[in-house]
């Protein structure tokens, strides 16, 4: 019997970390409601500002078409009042994320989060087809492995064959979590999702399997790729300078719904010695580790499938800023970025990856539209 687990079927299992429910911070529930006519709506002109005390985010509060300029009280994430002055402007002199909601009479608004950064804010990538919401769809394959894992070369060979030969390779992105032993040159030392057997693959954070044969891998990828259309597109503008990366991610919704976003830093061509690999010069690629996770910026509560963006209306966009400091032993020329968006399952208990892209650490990746 194949060891394949659908995350939604393991909601009571402790090993499935994001299967618990009830804690808003864990990502299980607590999402923003879809805004309806007559609600108190809080909007902001900038989701990302520079933390220089000058660059400002200006809020607008409305009920229906009526813009409110007085009688509004703003609150922070701690539910304490925040004075934004008569112009409803927010400035700050530190980096961080700052959430606000508004009250007017008996009405409470949605929550808006403004991100402050100490670097220049990258421009939003140009949208080549602003009228379109038909995006290229890709699945995310996360491989849990390590150079001391004697059974992992079989998974490496299966993935190698898949990306060399299969037609779905163009619609898949691979990331490797080297979490088996700490003496691995690609070892991921940060907190990350834990598996009990190696190798393991997780596809779209929706299905997990220890059977990483070529046939089963094709089946899992095809299952996820066919499960749903792309519900969002992803664009990235990233800047690298002085050992740090700053990236702005723009997510455009193909349909109205809740979304989360995650960004991982990956490194290629890390040299190691893979235990159990076939001998011979022709098999040297087993010892060259690609797509290795160096930073996994996608954890909220106990989930790794993305941090909250909230509701995005069809055809509209939301933005998220990520800033990373690199370690000296990471080779800049081998680094790239993996960005994915997640959507809730039918029960709203777990988030599955719906689309994923890779992008350079210094450059622009526009929305990819289906032809």
């Amino acid at each position: 019997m194949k060891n394949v687990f659908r995350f939604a079927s393991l909601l009571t299992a402790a090993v499935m970390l994001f299967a618990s429910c009830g804690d808003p911070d864990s990502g299980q529930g607590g999402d923003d409601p879809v805004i309806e006519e007559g609600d108190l709506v809080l909007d902001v002109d900038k989701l990302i500002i520079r933390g220089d005390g000058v660059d400002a985010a200006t809020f607008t509060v409305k009920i229906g078409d009526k813009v409110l300029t007085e009688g509004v009280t703003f609150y922070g994430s701690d539910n304490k009042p925040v004075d934004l002055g008569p112009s409803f402007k927010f400035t700050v002199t530190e980096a961080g994320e700052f959430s606000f909601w508004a009250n007017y009479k008996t009405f409470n608004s949605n929550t808006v989060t403004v991100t402050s950064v100490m670097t220049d804010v990258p421009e939003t990538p140009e949208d080549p087809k602003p009228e379109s919401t038909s995006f290229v769809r890709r699945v995310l394959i996360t491989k849990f492995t390590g150079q001391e894992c004697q059974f992992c070369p079989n998974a490496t060979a299966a993935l190698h064959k898949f990306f060399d030969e299969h037609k779905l390779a163009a619609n898949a992105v691979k990331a490797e979590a080297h979490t088996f032993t700490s003496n691995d040159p690609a070892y991921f030392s940060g907190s990350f999702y834990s598996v009990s057997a190696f190798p393991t693959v997780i596809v779209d954070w929706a299905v997990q399997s220890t059977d990483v044969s070529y046939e089963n891998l094709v089946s899992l990828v095809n299952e996820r790729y066919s499960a749903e259309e792309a519900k969002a597109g992803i664009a990235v503008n990233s800047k690298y300078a002085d050992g740090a990366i700053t990236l702005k991610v723009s997510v455009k919704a193909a349909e109205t719904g809740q979304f989360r976003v995650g960004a991982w830093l990956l490194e290629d061509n890390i040299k190691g010695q893979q235990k159990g690999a076939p001998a011979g010069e022709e098999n040297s690629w087993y010892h060259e580790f690609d797509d290795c996770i160096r930073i996994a910026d996608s954890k909220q509560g106990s989930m790794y499938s993305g941090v909250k963006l909230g509701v995005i209306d069809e055809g509209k966009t939301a933005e998220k800023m990520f800033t990373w400091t690199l370690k000296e032993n990471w080779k800049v020329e081998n680094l790239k970025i993996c960005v994915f968006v997640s959507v809730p399952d039918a029960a709203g208990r777990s988030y599955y990856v719906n689309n994923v892209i890779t992008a350079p650490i210094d450059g622009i990746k526009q929305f990819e539209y289906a032809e």
Side-chain angles (χ1 to χ4, degrees), residues 17-18 191-194 205 262 264 296 298-306 340:
L17 292 180
F18 52 88
S191 173
F192 200 56
Y193 181 77
S194 178
W205 291 109
W264 294 351
S298 63
K299 185 173 186 287
Q300 185 160 333
S302 60
M303 297 179 68
Y304 291 85
S305 51
F340 56 86

Side-chain angles (χ1 to χ4, degrees), residues 122-142:
E123 296 291 331
T124 300
E126 181 183 356
D127 188 345
K129 292 184 179 180
E131 74 288 350
S132 178
T133 56
S134 179
F135 302 102
V136 173
R137 159 105 162 99
R138 292 188 178 86
V139 302
L140 174 64
I141 304 170
T142 307

Side-chain angles (χ1 to χ4, degrees), residues 39-42 61 100-104 107-112:
D39 288 345
L40 183 68
V41 178
L42 177 62
V61 185
F100 304 89
W101 57 276
N103 169 263
Y104 176 73
F107 298 93
N108 293 331
S109 77
N110 55 298
T111 299
V112 172

